[in-house]
Amino acid sequence: MSKEDNSYKNSLKATSLFGGVQVYKIIIQIVRSKFVAVLLGPEGMGIMSLLNSTVGMISSCTNCGLSSSAVRNIAEATNTQDEKRVSTVIAVLRRLIWITGIIGTLICAFGASWWSRITFGNKDYSIAFILLSVKILFLQLTVGQQAVLQGLQKYRYLAVASIIGEAVGLAICVPLYYIWGVNAIVPVLILVELTAFLLTWFYIHKIKIKKVHITKQDIKTDGVSMLKMGILISLSTLLGTLASYVIRLYIRKTGDIADVGLYGAGFTLVESYVGLVFAAMATDYYPRLSKVARDNTFFNDAINNQAEIAVILLAPIVVAFVVFAKLGIVILYSEKFLIIEGMVYWAIAAILVKAVAWSMSYALLAKGNSKVFFWNEFVTLVYGFALNVLGYKLYGLTGMGISYFIKYVLYFIQLAIVTRILFRVQLNRELLKMFSLFSLFIIIALLLKIFDNVWVGYLSGSVILAITTYIAYKELDKRVSLTTFIQSKIKRK
């Protein structure tokens, strides 16, 4: 078996595992979103969105990007097959995670009234932010433990923890929202994060990690390495979170708090449901790409192979979403949320572009070029934020979808240039051919929805979906012998 075949199969293997998890999570999220939409309404969802984005911003300020930089360090240590070396890196990470988690908690708690005034324009949510400070500590401890599992490639533990966490989260939120409504938002956010922490803690302790005494030199060597790269990653993440936070504040002041909820609901559809492949692949792709970062040929092949798998898997999902988006919004939320339909269509159109750009963006991290990564993300955030403000000002929520689309087209062009200059990354013809064909199907499906009546749109769109799915299956089969694999499974039964 060639290394290229292995690359395809490794991509698909991780995607099938975490893709299954994501499908499960989506089903849970569908049920949860429906209950939340009905029990809290757009305004309640707006409050929850603002609280979450504020806490996320504080966390991004203080977590030093350890969840990303540590994965690379642990993966590199694992390659040495030195058990003590791996244990030392993990021990240093744990020390840093506790320090950064406590700092974030204190900043949230002591600045509670200030966060409330900035976010909501009054001090009414000061107590909420004091309570949510605990969530920041749990969040940081959880992502630290997830980084260890990911770096050690314990993907099944990550998957099971995620599955159980989603189920428990649903069991927590529905009855509490039913009983207390909006007043249950803070307890739910804390309890869900506590659950995630306990689950990752449980699975971390199933792994045999040697107890080692870390010295000041260990902290200086490994800690500085993690922090040096992590802080730049953290800054880019912080700026992204800050931009998202400010956009929500801008929407609240320019429109109203219900628009904040509608905006959050629309991008939950795009990022969570359609973007399931990104979440499934991200867990395996980054450490795998880091391992071949020193060989430019394998490095380039890994990026192209990952992008091909992403495009193949996403194309039918995107077309399906275009065809049934309106129906999906009503089912997942309610008719009150149909105002986001235009925004969702535009955002969905960007997904394939985002898939290829996303595959290239990890090249900067895998190569350890954190400065270029930071400036690449910073420039994207600047024009992305400007496009968001302009889009909402001109076309409201639909304008936010348009700005999302334009942002990722520019991001794709930008990354293609940067990675070509720095690492000689070149997208192959096969990828570009598939990308163009599937993009054409998406455009046709969108045009059919815009210009035809409802039932003609559903019928003709379903035909486009069938064609897209067939071609995607054939392309996947060509790369990983999917038909042979399925037949072997059937024969075993």
Side-chain angles (χ1 to χ4, degrees), residues 290-323:
S290 297
K291 287 183 177 180
V292 297
R294 297 181 186 277
D295 189 313
N296 283 337
T297 301
F298 291 142
F299 189 72
N300 189 76
D301 288 344
I303 291 169
N304 273 279
N305 295 348
Q306 187 69 62
E308 286 176 30
I309 293 293
V311 168
I312 291 168
L313 293 177
L314 278 168
I317 298 172
V318 173
V319 172
F321 221 92
V322 169
V323 176

PDB file of all heavy atoms in Angstrom, residues 290-323:
ATOM      1  N   SER A 290       1.761  17.295  11.468  1.00  0.00           N
ATOM      2  CA  SER A 290       2.973  17.695  12.197  1.00  0.00           C
ATOM      3  C   SER A 290       4.075  16.647  12.057  1.00  0.00           C
ATOM      4  O   SER A 290       5.270  16.974  12.011  1.00  0.00           O
ATOM      5  CB  SER A 290       2.658  17.908  13.681  1.00  0.00           C
ATOM      6  OG  SER A 290       1.734  18.962  13.858  1.00  0.00           O
ATOM      7  N   LYS A 291       3.691  15.390  11.991  1.00  0.00           N
ATOM      8  CA  LYS A 291       4.671  14.297  11.913  1.00  0.00           C
ATOM      9  C   LYS A 291       5.422  14.267  10.580  1.00  0.00           C
ATOM     10  O   LYS A 291       6.537  13.770  10.501  1.00  0.00           O
ATOM     11  CB  LYS A 291       3.982  12.952  12.144  1.00  0.00           C
ATOM     12  CG  LYS A 291       3.574  12.733  13.600  1.00  0.00           C
ATOM     13  CD  LYS A 291       2.953  11.356  13.799  1.00  0.00           C
ATOM     14  CE  LYS A 291       2.614  11.119  15.256  1.00  0.00           C
ATOM     15  NZ  LYS A 291       2.012   9.786  15.483  1.00  0.00           N
ATOM     16  N   VAL A 292       4.804  14.783   9.503  1.00  0.00           N
ATOM     17  CA  VAL A 292       5.468  14.770   8.187  1.00  0.00           C
ATOM     18  C   VAL A 292       5.920  16.168   7.768  1.00  0.00           C
ATOM     19  O   VAL A 292       6.244  16.401   6.612  1.00  0.00           O
ATOM     20  CB  VAL A 292       4.537  14.169   7.101  1.00  0.00           C
ATOM     21  CG1 VAL A 292       4.221  12.725   7.399  1.00  0.00           C
ATOM     22  CG2 VAL A 292       3.232  14.982   6.959  1.00  0.00           C
ATOM     23  N   ALA A 293       5.933  17.093   8.734  1.00  0.00           N
ATOM     24  CA  ALA A 293       6.223  18.494   8.410  1.00  0.00           C
ATOM     25  C   ALA A 293       7.622  18.715   7.856  1.00  0.00           C
ATOM     26  O   ALA A 293       7.875  19.684   7.141  1.00  0.00           O
ATOM     27  CB  ALA A 293       6.014  19.362   9.660  1.00  0.00           C
ATOM     28  N   ARG A 294       8.554  17.802   8.164  1.00  0.00           N
ATOM     29  CA  ARG A 294       9.934  17.972   7.718  1.00  0.00           C
ATOM     30  C   ARG A 294      10.170  17.486   6.286  1.00  0.00           C
ATOM     31  O   ARG A 294      11.215  17.737   5.705  1.00  0.00           O
ATOM     32  CB  ARG A 294      10.888  17.247   8.671  1.00  0.00           C
ATOM     33  CG  ARG A 294      10.863  17.803  10.084  1.00  0.00           C
ATOM     34  CD  ARG A 294      11.845  17.087  10.994  1.00  0.00           C
ATOM     35  NE  ARG A 294      11.708  17.520  12.372  1.00  0.00           N
ATOM     36  CZ  ARG A 294      12.269  18.600  12.884  1.00  0.00           C
ATOM     37  NH1 ARG A 294      13.018  19.369  12.110  1.00  0.00           N
ATOM     38  NH2 ARG A 294      12.090  18.931  14.153  1.00  0.00           N
ATOM     39  N   ASP A 295       9.214  16.769   5.730  1.00  0.00           N
ATOM     40  CA  ASP A 295       9.335  16.263   4.355  1.00  0.00           C
ATOM     41  C   ASP A 295       8.303  16.988   3.487  1.00  0.00           C
ATOM     42  O   ASP A 295       7.111  16.715   3.549  1.00  0.00           O
ATOM     43  CB  ASP A 295       9.082  14.747   4.335  1.00  0.00           C
ATOM     44  CG  ASP A 295       9.395  14.128   2.976  1.00  0.00           C
ATOM     45  OD1 ASP A 295       8.952  14.696   1.953  1.00  0.00           O
ATOM     46  OD2 ASP A 295      10.064  13.085   2.946  1.00  0.00           O
ATOM     47  N   ASN A 296       8.758  17.917   2.669  1.00  0.00           N
ATOM     48  CA  ASN A 296       7.845  18.768   1.900  1.00  0.00           C
ATOM     49  C   ASN A 296       6.963  17.994   0.927  1.00  0.00           C
ATOM     50  O   ASN A 296       5.827  18.392   0.657  1.00  0.00           O
ATOM     51  CB  ASN A 296       8.627  19.844   1.142  1.00  0.00           C
ATOM     52  CG  ASN A 296       9.074  20.978   2.048  1.00  0.00           C
ATOM     53  OD1 ASN A 296       8.473  21.195   3.100  1.00  0.00           O
ATOM     54  ND2 ASN A 296      10.119  21.688   1.657  1.00  0.00           N
ATOM     55  N   THR A 297       7.485  16.883   0.384  1.00  0.00           N
ATOM     56  CA  THR A 297       6.692  16.095  -0.567  1.00  0.00           C
ATOM     57  C   THR A 297       5.500  15.452   0.132  1.00  0.00           C
ATOM     58  O   THR A 297       4.351  15.585  -0.308  1.00  0.00           O
ATOM     59  CB  THR A 297       7.548  15.000  -1.222  1.00  0.00           C
ATOM     60  OG1 THR A 297       8.648  15.610  -1.902  1.00  0.00           O
ATOM     61  CG2 THR A 297       6.721  14.196  -2.222  1.00  0.00           C
ATOM     62  N   PHE A 298       5.765  14.742   1.244  1.00  0.00           N
ATOM     63  CA  PHE A 298       4.683  14.110   1.998  1.00  0.00           C
ATOM     64  C   PHE A 298       3.751  15.167   2.608  1.00  0.00           C
ATOM     65  O   PHE A 298       2.550  14.959   2.717  1.00  0.00           O
ATOM     66  CB  PHE A 298       5.255  13.215   3.103  1.00  0.00           C
ATOM     67  CG  PHE A 298       5.946  11.985   2.592  1.00  0.00           C
ATOM     68  CD1 PHE A 298       7.098  11.512   3.198  1.00  0.00           C
ATOM     69  CD2 PHE A 298       5.459  11.310   1.481  1.00  0.00           C
ATOM     70  CE1 PHE A 298       7.742  10.375   2.724  1.00  0.00           C
ATOM     71  CE2 PHE A 298       6.095  10.181   0.988  1.00  0.00           C
ATOM     72  CZ  PHE A 298       7.243   9.706   1.605  1.00  0.00           C
ATOM     73  N   PHE A 299       4.350  16.281   2.987  1.00  0.00           N
ATOM     74  CA  PHE A 299       3.592  17.386   3.581  1.00  0.00           C
ATOM     75  C   PHE A 299       2.567  17.924   2.578  1.00  0.00           C
ATOM     76  O   PHE A 299       1.381  18.077   2.894  1.00  0.00           O
ATOM     77  CB  PHE A 299       4.573  18.489   3.990  1.00  0.00           C
ATOM     78  CG  PHE A 299       3.967  19.595   4.800  1.00  0.00           C
ATOM     79  CD1 PHE A 299       3.584  19.392   6.114  1.00  0.00           C
ATOM     80  CD2 PHE A 299       3.814  20.864   4.253  1.00  0.00           C
ATOM     81  CE1 PHE A 299       3.041  20.418   6.873  1.00  0.00           C
ATOM     82  CE2 PHE A 299       3.275  21.904   4.999  1.00  0.00           C
ATOM     83  CZ  PHE A 299       2.888  21.682   6.309  1.00  0.00           C
ATOM     84  N   ASN A 300       3.024  18.169   1.364  1.00  0.00           N
ATOM     85  CA  ASN A 300       2.136  18.671   0.302  1.00  0.00           C
ATOM     86  C   ASN A 300       1.055  17.649  -0.043  1.00  0.00           C
ATOM     87  O   ASN A 300      -0.122  18.004  -0.218  1.00  0.00           O
ATOM     88  CB  ASN A 300       2.960  19.000  -0.939  1.00  0.00           C
ATOM     89  CG  ASN A 300       2.151  19.713  -2.001  1.00  0.00           C
ATOM     90  OD1 ASN A 300       1.871  20.901  -1.890  1.00  0.00           O
ATOM     91  ND2 ASN A 300       1.754  18.985  -3.030  1.00  0.00           N
ATOM     92  N   ASP A 301       1.447  16.383  -0.112  1.00  0.00           N
ATOM     93  CA  ASP A 301       0.481  15.317  -0.415  1.00  0.00           C
ATOM     94  C   ASP A 301      -0.581  15.211   0.678  1.00  0.00           C
ATOM     95  O   ASP A 301      -1.768  15.032   0.379  1.00  0.00           O
ATOM     96  CB  ASP A 301       1.203  13.967  -0.556  1.00  0.00           C
ATOM     97  CG  ASP A 301       2.012  13.865  -1.839  1.00  0.00           C
ATOM     98  OD1 ASP A 301       1.775  14.694  -2.743  1.00  0.00           O
ATOM     99  OD2 ASP A 301       2.880  12.979  -1.928  1.00  0.00           O
ATOM    100  N   ALA A 302      -0.145  15.304   1.934  1.00  0.00           N
ATOM    101  CA  ALA A 302      -1.087  15.192   3.058  1.00  0.00           C
ATOM    102  C   ALA A 302      -2.129  16.306   3.015  1.00  0.00           C
ATOM    103  O   ALA A 302      -3.314  16.080   3.270  1.00  0.00           O
ATOM    104  CB  ALA A 302      -0.328  15.230   4.383  1.00  0.00           C
ATOM    105  N   ILE A 303      -1.695  17.519   2.679  1.00  0.00           N
ATOM    106  CA  ILE A 303      -2.627  18.660   2.595  1.00  0.00           C
ATOM    107  C   ILE A 303      -3.628  18.442   1.461  1.00  0.00           C
ATOM    108  O   ILE A 303      -4.843  18.631   1.645  1.00  0.00           O
ATOM    109  CB  ILE A 303      -1.842  19.971   2.381  1.00  0.00           C
ATOM    110  CG1 ILE A 303      -1.043  20.314   3.647  1.00  0.00           C
ATOM    111  CG2 ILE A 303      -2.801  21.119   2.033  1.00  0.00           C
ATOM    112  CD1 ILE A 303      -0.043  21.437   3.467  1.00  0.00           C
ATOM    113  N   ASN A 304      -3.145  18.040   0.293  1.00  0.00           N
ATOM    114  CA  ASN A 304      -4.034  17.801  -0.849  1.00  0.00           C
ATOM    115  C   ASN A 304      -5.006  16.653  -0.576  1.00  0.00           C
ATOM    116  O   ASN A 304      -6.201  16.757  -0.881  1.00  0.00           O
ATOM    117  CB  ASN A 304      -3.206  17.503  -2.104  1.00  0.00           C
ATOM    118  CG  ASN A 304      -2.797  18.754  -2.844  1.00  0.00           C
ATOM    119  OD1 ASN A 304      -3.559  19.327  -3.608  1.00  0.00           O
ATOM    120  ND2 ASN A 304      -1.578  19.190  -2.604  1.00  0.00           N
ATOM    121  N   ASN A 305      -4.487  15.577   0.005  1.00  0.00           N
ATOM    122  CA  ASN A 305      -5.351  14.430   0.296  1.00  0.00           C
ATOM    123  C   ASN A 305      -6.443  14.786   1.294  1.00  0.00           C
ATOM    124  O   ASN A 305      -7.591  14.373   1.161  1.00  0.00           O
ATOM    125  CB  ASN A 305      -4.513  13.264   0.829  1.00  0.00           C
ATOM    126  CG  ASN A 305      -3.544  12.719  -0.209  1.00  0.00           C
ATOM    127  OD1 ASN A 305      -3.646  13.051  -1.388  1.00  0.00           O
ATOM    128  ND2 ASN A 305      -2.597  11.910   0.222  1.00  0.00           N
ATOM    129  N   GLN A 306      -6.056  15.560   2.311  1.00  0.00           N
ATOM    130  CA  GLN A 306      -7.044  15.980   3.314  1.00  0.00           C
ATOM    131  C   GLN A 306      -8.109  16.876   2.683  1.00  0.00           C
ATOM    132  O   GLN A 306      -9.299  16.738   2.961  1.00  0.00           O
ATOM    133  CB  GLN A 306      -6.354  16.730   4.447  1.00  0.00           C
ATOM    134  CG  GLN A 306      -7.257  17.069   5.627  1.00  0.00           C
ATOM    135  CD  GLN A 306      -7.676  15.835   6.392  1.00  0.00           C
ATOM    136  OE1 GLN A 306      -6.852  15.121   6.946  1.00  0.00           O
ATOM    137  NE2 GLN A 306      -8.961  15.557   6.431  1.00  0.00           N
ATOM    138  N   ALA A 307      -7.656  17.805   1.832  1.00  0.00           N
ATOM    139  CA  ALA A 307      -8.600  18.709   1.164  1.00  0.00           C
ATOM    140  C   ALA A 307      -9.554  17.937   0.251  1.00  0.00           C
ATOM    141  O   ALA A 307     -10.755  18.234   0.196  1.00  0.00           O
ATOM    142  CB  ALA A 307      -7.833  19.755   0.360  1.00  0.00           C
ATOM    143  N   GLU A 308      -9.025  16.925  -0.457  1.00  0.00           N
ATOM    144  CA  GLU A 308      -9.876  16.109  -1.334  1.00  0.00           C
ATOM    145  C   GLU A 308     -10.947  15.376  -0.532  1.00  0.00           C
ATOM    146  O   GLU A 308     -12.132  15.385  -0.898  1.00  0.00           O
ATOM    147  CB  GLU A 308      -9.020  15.098  -2.092  1.00  0.00           C
ATOM    148  CG  GLU A 308      -8.186  15.707  -3.205  1.00  0.00           C
ATOM    149  CD  GLU A 308      -7.283  14.682  -3.879  1.00  0.00           C
ATOM    150  OE1 GLU A 308      -7.662  13.489  -3.919  1.00  0.00           O
ATOM    151  OE2 GLU A 308      -6.193  15.063  -4.348  1.00  0.00           O
ATOM    152  N   ILE A 309     -10.536  14.736   0.563  1.00  0.00           N
ATOM    153  CA  ILE A 309     -11.498  14.009   1.399  1.00  0.00           C
ATOM    154  C   ILE A 309     -12.553  14.971   1.946  1.00  0.00           C
ATOM    155  O   ILE A 309     -13.752  14.658   1.962  1.00  0.00           O
ATOM    156  CB  ILE A 309     -10.771  13.301   2.568  1.00  0.00           C
ATOM    157  CG1 ILE A 309      -9.876  12.176   2.043  1.00  0.00           C
ATOM    158  CG2 ILE A 309     -11.778  12.746   3.578  1.00  0.00           C
ATOM    159  CD1 ILE A 309     -10.611  11.007   1.434  1.00  0.00           C
ATOM    160  N   ALA A 310     -12.112  16.166   2.374  1.00  0.00           N
ATOM    161  CA  ALA A 310     -13.049  17.157   2.919  1.00  0.00           C
ATOM    162  C   ALA A 310     -14.082  17.576   1.879  1.00  0.00           C
ATOM    163  O   ALA A 310     -15.283  17.636   2.153  1.00  0.00           O
ATOM    164  CB  ALA A 310     -12.281  18.378   3.427  1.00  0.00           C
ATOM    165  N   VAL A 311     -13.610  17.867   0.661  1.00  0.00           N
ATOM    166  CA  VAL A 311     -14.514  18.306  -0.414  1.00  0.00           C
ATOM    167  C   VAL A 311     -15.495  17.195  -0.781  1.00  0.00           C
ATOM    168  O   VAL A 311     -16.699  17.440  -0.957  1.00  0.00           O
ATOM    169  CB  VAL A 311     -13.692  18.749  -1.648  1.00  0.00           C
ATOM    170  CG1 VAL A 311     -14.599  18.931  -2.861  1.00  0.00           C
ATOM    171  CG2 VAL A 311     -12.962  20.053  -1.344  1.00  0.00           C
ATOM    172  N   ILE A 312     -14.982  15.958  -0.895  1.00  0.00           N
ATOM    173  CA  ILE A 312     -15.841  14.826  -1.265  1.00  0.00           C
ATOM    174  C   ILE A 312     -16.938  14.602  -0.221  1.00  0.00           C
ATOM    175  O   ILE A 312     -18.109  14.408  -0.558  1.00  0.00           O
ATOM    176  CB  ILE A 312     -15.003  13.537  -1.424  1.00  0.00           C
ATOM    177  CG1 ILE A 312     -14.106  13.642  -2.658  1.00  0.00           C
ATOM    178  CG2 ILE A 312     -15.901  12.306  -1.547  1.00  0.00           C
ATOM    179  CD1 ILE A 312     -13.043  12.550  -2.743  1.00  0.00           C
ATOM    180  N   LEU A 313     -16.571  14.634   1.043  1.00  0.00           N
ATOM    181  CA  LEU A 313     -17.542  14.370   2.108  1.00  0.00           C
ATOM    182  C   LEU A 313     -18.528  15.533   2.300  1.00  0.00           C
ATOM    183  O   LEU A 313     -19.692  15.319   2.621  1.00  0.00           O
ATOM    184  CB  LEU A 313     -16.814  14.096   3.432  1.00  0.00           C
ATOM    185  CG  LEU A 313     -15.977  12.809   3.487  1.00  0.00           C
ATOM    186  CD1 LEU A 313     -15.257  12.718   4.819  1.00  0.00           C
ATOM    187  CD2 LEU A 313     -16.860  11.577   3.292  1.00  0.00           C
ATOM    188  N   LEU A 314     -18.035  16.746   2.091  1.00  0.00           N
ATOM    189  CA  LEU A 314     -18.877  17.916   2.362  1.00  0.00           C
ATOM    190  C   LEU A 314     -19.865  18.226   1.238  1.00  0.00           C
ATOM    191  O   LEU A 314     -20.957  18.742   1.501  1.00  0.00           O
ATOM    192  CB  LEU A 314     -18.005  19.146   2.615  1.00  0.00           C
ATOM    193  CG  LEU A 314     -17.451  19.295   4.026  1.00  0.00           C
ATOM    194  CD1 LEU A 314     -16.384  20.376   4.075  1.00  0.00           C
ATOM    195  CD2 LEU A 314     -18.570  19.620   5.007  1.00  0.00           C
ATOM    196  N   ALA A 315     -19.485  17.937  -0.011  1.00  0.00           N
ATOM    197  CA  ALA A 315     -20.319  18.337  -1.150  1.00  0.00           C
ATOM    198  C   ALA A 315     -21.782  17.866  -1.031  1.00  0.00           C
ATOM    199  O   ALA A 315     -22.709  18.679  -1.156  1.00  0.00           O
ATOM    200  CB  ALA A 315     -19.702  17.856  -2.454  1.00  0.00           C
ATOM    201  N   PRO A 316     -22.036  16.567  -0.786  1.00  0.00           N
ATOM    202  CA  PRO A 316     -23.441  16.140  -0.664  1.00  0.00           C
ATOM    203  C   PRO A 316     -24.155  16.785   0.531  1.00  0.00           C
ATOM    204  O   PRO A 316     -25.344  17.096   0.449  1.00  0.00           O
ATOM    205  CB  PRO A 316     -23.332  14.614  -0.464  1.00  0.00           C
ATOM    206  CG  PRO A 316     -21.984  14.242  -0.963  1.00  0.00           C
ATOM    207  CD  PRO A 316     -21.119  15.413  -0.665  1.00  0.00           C
ATOM    208  N   ILE A 317     -23.427  16.998   1.632  1.00  0.00           N
ATOM    209  CA  ILE A 317     -24.020  17.617   2.819  1.00  0.00           C
ATOM    210  C   ILE A 317     -24.439  19.049   2.512  1.00  0.00           C
ATOM    211  O   ILE A 317     -25.537  19.492   2.879  1.00  0.00           O
ATOM    212  CB  ILE A 317     -23.022  17.597   4.000  1.00  0.00           C
ATOM    213  CG1 ILE A 317     -22.683  16.158   4.382  1.00  0.00           C
ATOM    214  CG2 ILE A 317     -23.593  18.328   5.206  1.00  0.00           C
ATOM    215  CD1 ILE A 317     -21.560  16.038   5.398  1.00  0.00           C
ATOM    216  N   VAL A 318     -23.558  19.776   1.820  1.00  0.00           N
ATOM    217  CA  VAL A 318     -23.863  21.176   1.487  1.00  0.00           C
ATOM    218  C   VAL A 318     -25.059  21.266   0.547  1.00  0.00           C
ATOM    219  O   VAL A 318     -25.967  22.085   0.744  1.00  0.00           O
ATOM    220  CB  VAL A 318     -22.628  21.865   0.859  1.00  0.00           C
ATOM    221  CG1 VAL A 318     -22.988  23.260   0.359  1.00  0.00           C
ATOM    222  CG2 VAL A 318     -21.502  21.955   1.871  1.00  0.00           C
ATOM    223  N   VAL A 319     -25.077  20.422  -0.498  1.00  0.00           N
ATOM    224  CA  VAL A 319     -26.203  20.431  -1.443  1.00  0.00           C
ATOM    225  C   VAL A 319     -27.510  20.088  -0.714  1.00  0.00           C
ATOM    226  O   VAL A 319     -28.538  20.728  -0.933  1.00  0.00           O
ATOM    227  CB  VAL A 319     -25.960  19.460  -2.614  1.00  0.00           C
ATOM    228  CG1 VAL A 319     -27.209  19.334  -3.489  1.00  0.00           C
ATOM    229  CG2 VAL A 319     -24.783  19.924  -3.464  1.00  0.00           C
ATOM    230  N   ALA A 320     -27.450  19.076   0.149  1.00  0.00           N
ATOM    231  CA  ALA A 320     -28.643  18.690   0.919  1.00  0.00           C
ATOM    232  C   ALA A 320     -29.135  19.853   1.768  1.00  0.00           C
ATOM    233  O   ALA A 320     -30.338  20.102   1.881  1.00  0.00           O
ATOM    234  CB  ALA A 320     -28.336  17.481   1.800  1.00  0.00           C
ATOM    235  N   PHE A 321     -28.189  20.571   2.347  1.00  0.00           N
ATOM    236  CA  PHE A 321     -28.559  21.697   3.195  1.00  0.00           C
ATOM    237  C   PHE A 321     -29.194  22.818   2.384  1.00  0.00           C
ATOM    238  O   PHE A 321     -30.153  23.468   2.827  1.00  0.00           O
ATOM    239  CB  PHE A 321     -27.339  22.211   3.946  1.00  0.00           C
ATOM    240  CG  PHE A 321     -27.640  22.569   5.359  1.00  0.00           C
ATOM    241  CD1 PHE A 321     -27.482  21.645   6.371  1.00  0.00           C
ATOM    242  CD2 PHE A 321     -28.111  23.827   5.690  1.00  0.00           C
ATOM    243  CE1 PHE A 321     -27.769  21.959   7.680  1.00  0.00           C
ATOM    244  CE2 PHE A 321     -28.415  24.159   6.995  1.00  0.00           C
ATOM    245  CZ  PHE A 321     -28.236  23.225   7.996  1.00  0.00           C
ATOM    246  N   VAL A 322     -28.654  23.055   1.183  1.00  0.00           N
ATOM    247  CA  VAL A 322     -29.231  24.084   0.305  1.00  0.00           C
ATOM    248  C   VAL A 322     -30.676  23.721  -0.041  1.00  0.00           C
ATOM    249  O   VAL A 322     -31.577  24.550   0.015  1.00  0.00           O
ATOM    250  CB  VAL A 322     -28.390  24.235  -0.977  1.00  0.00           C
ATOM    251  CG1 VAL A 322     -29.131  25.090  -2.005  1.00  0.00           C
ATOM    252  CG2 VAL A 322     -27.041  24.845  -0.663  1.00  0.00           C
ATOM    253  N   VAL A 323     -30.881  22.463  -0.413  1.00  0.00           N
ATOM    254  CA  VAL A 323     -32.203  22.012  -0.850  1.00  0.00           C
ATOM    255  C   VAL A 323     -33.229  22.081   0.279  1.00  0.00           C
ATOM    256  O   VAL A 323     -34.373  22.508   0.082  1.00  0.00           O
ATOM    257  CB  VAL A 323     -32.129  20.574  -1.421  1.00  0.00           C
ATOM    258  CG1 VAL A 323     -33.525  20.065  -1.786  1.00  0.00           C
ATOM    259  CG2 VAL A 323     -31.223  20.537  -2.647  1.00  0.00           C
TER     260      VAL A 323
END
